Amino acid sequence: MATPAAAERFALGTFEAPDGRVFPGLVRDQRVRDLTDAITGGVLPCDGPPALLGLLRVWDDAVPRLAELAAADDGWRDGAGLRVRAPLTPGQVLQSGANYRTHVIDLVVAHRDPDDPRDEEQVRAEAAAFMDRRAAEGEPYLFVGLPSAVCGPDDDVVLPAYSDQHDWELELAAVIGRPAFRVSPEQALDHVAGYTIANDITTRDLVFRRDMPDIGTDWLRAKNAPTFLPLGPWLVPAEFVPDPMDLRIRLTLNGRVMQDETTKDMIFDVARLVSAASQTVPLSPGDLVLTGSPAGNGMHWGRLLRPGDVMESTITGLGVQRNRCVAEEAR
């Protein structure tokens, strides 16, 4: 599909007005166009109440009309004064782990046995060779998250009091726009409506069950606390992201750069992840496929999240998240 002219580029978001009204909006040049009237008036197709999920359910029909509305000169308002909420509440959240080459190599080095006779360079080389084999012959590692963890791109992240080991994981998220079940990697991107930013926060000391070590990982407890999945600000249509495998992904903590990598470092690309998820799970419009986090998590730096910290997260062309961490109130 040809890339539309720059004047036609747009994104989608969900906004809250000062009076508390929540509405889907078209975003262009820091201006917002309320889509409610276009939906309720039948100008814009929508399957369900006026919301981005309803547009995703009829994505192929909605996109041309959205492009027309984006090109219009009237009907816009300044985005200042509007609260930006998560662009959508997803249906299913499919998450991927250990999907950035440098990140995995760093983990192998960090967790090697103290008695390991190999030097760091040798460990890195062997881990890199293993990653190459995994990319060529292996399969993605996928698991399931909960939509109840989602919060907005500017919302506070609440750090539960049951741990002090909460960590950031900035990720590119693919938003499904067309049903996908057992699709090939070659077909997979045809089912992606667009992309957004996700910060898949993890409580590190809850990842593994110490009371049941043979069971392995416990992603429910480690990743699904309320506000542990800041999402957005925008859903950027796939036609405006020419190459999802060439995006810069960057997170700062209190102004200090912690993660700064490109999606080129993924072991399994977006198409393979969407395809792999669809082999087991029928994907529906509004589902998310998270693509893993690059190197530079808190465990790497020996610095985990604390109340008062501010994370600022960006991915090329997808906007900016700014989330402050706060302590959970005593119950």
Side-chain angles (χ1 to χ4, degrees):
M1 180 181 296
T3 302
E8 300 172 351
R9 292 174 180 267
F10 61 87
L12 295 162
T14 297
F15 301 88
E16 183 177 335
D19 63 2
R21 186 175 68 89
V22 176
F23 63 91
L26 199 62
V27 182
R28 183 177 159 199
D29 300 328
Q30 300 182 339
R31 298 179 299 163
V32 176
R33 184 186 190 100
D34 187 342
L35 296 176
T36 305
D37 288 345
I39 292 172
T40 57
V43 174
L44 185 63
C46 186
D47 182 4
L52 292 198
L53 181 57
L55 295 176
L56 287 167
R57 289 172 177 159
V58 289
W59 188 243
D60 289 330
D61 294 329
V63 167
R65 187 59 184 135
L66 288 167
E68 292 175 6
L69 293 171
D73 293 327
D74 60 342
W76 298 92
R77 63 184 289 179
D78 191 335
L82 297 174
R83 177 188 171 195
V84 182
R85 300 183 60 159
L88 75 159
T89 299
Q92 302 178 107
V93 181
L94 286 303
Q95 299 167 310
S96 59
N99 195 44
Y100 274 79
R101 195 171 183 274
T102 303
H103 180 204
V104 175
I105 293 170
D106 285 348
L107 289 175
V108 171
V109 172
H111 293 287
R112 64 176 171 155
D113 192 299
D115 297 326
D116 191 329
R118 300 171 297 170
D119 60 25
E120 181 175 327
E121 183 177 349
Q122 185 178 359
V123 172
R124 285 189 173 277
E126 292 179 9
F130 174 75
M131 289 301 101
D132 291 341
R133 290 194 301 274
R134 183 170 172 238
E137 305 167 4
E139 296 181 1
Y141 175 45
L142 296 167
F143 49 96
V144 180
L146 297 177
S148 58
V150 168
C151 71
D154 301 312
D155 290 347
D156 289 345
V157 169
V158 179
L159 304 179
Y162 50 66
S163 175
D164 60 0
Q165 295 188 32
H166 311 296
D167 199 352
W168 58 85
E169 293 196 34
L170 186 59
E171 307 194 15
L172 175 68
V175 184
I176 300 301
R178 302 170 186 93
F181 187 47
R182 295 181 182 159
V183 299
S184 69
E186 292 74 23
Q187 299 168 320
L189 294 188
D190 292 337
H191 298 264
V192 174
Y195 299 91
T196 191
I197 302 173
N199 189 352
D200 184 23
I201 296 168
T202 302
T203 303
R204 294 297 180 191
D205 58 336
L206 295 184
V207 171
F208 296 101
R209 291 296 297 256
R210 296 176 182 174
D211 59 330
M212 303 172 67
D214 292 340
I215 293 295
T217 50
D218 187 343
W219 295 124
L220 174 68
R221 296 193 308 164
K223 286 184 175 285
N224 288 290
T227 74
F228 264 35
L229 190 59
L231 195 66
W234 318 130
L235 188 165
V236 177
E239 52 262 50
F240 304 133
V241 184
D243 186 358
M245 298 310 300
D246 190 18
L247 303 177
R248 185 181 183 189
I249 181 166
R250 188 173 189 267
L251 180 143
T252 65
L253 183 71
N254 304 328
R256 179 187 173 191
V257 176
M258 296 299 196
Q259 291 184 288
D260 192 357
E261 185 56 87
T262 74
T263 53
K264 291 178 182 178
D265 199 45
M266 285 187 197
I267 298 167
F268 300 103
D269 63 16
V270 177
R272 289 182 70 184
L273 292 170
V274 171
S275 173
S278 79
Q279 300 309 308
T280 302
V281 179
L283 300 176
S284 299
D287 290 348
L288 299 182
V289 178
L290 275 58
T291 58
S293 185
N297 303 116
M299 289 294 285
H300 169 77
W301 295 106
R303 167 62 161 90
L304 296 164
L305 293 170
R306 306 167 187 160
D309 284 343
V310 175
M311 297 176 288
E312 189 164 287
S313 310
T314 64
I315 299 178
T316 307
L318 304 186
V320 180
Q321 292 185 356
R322 191 176 187 276
N323 301 99
R324 181 173 63 105
C325 297
V326 300
E328 182 180 47
E329 294 182 5
R331 296 178 181 270

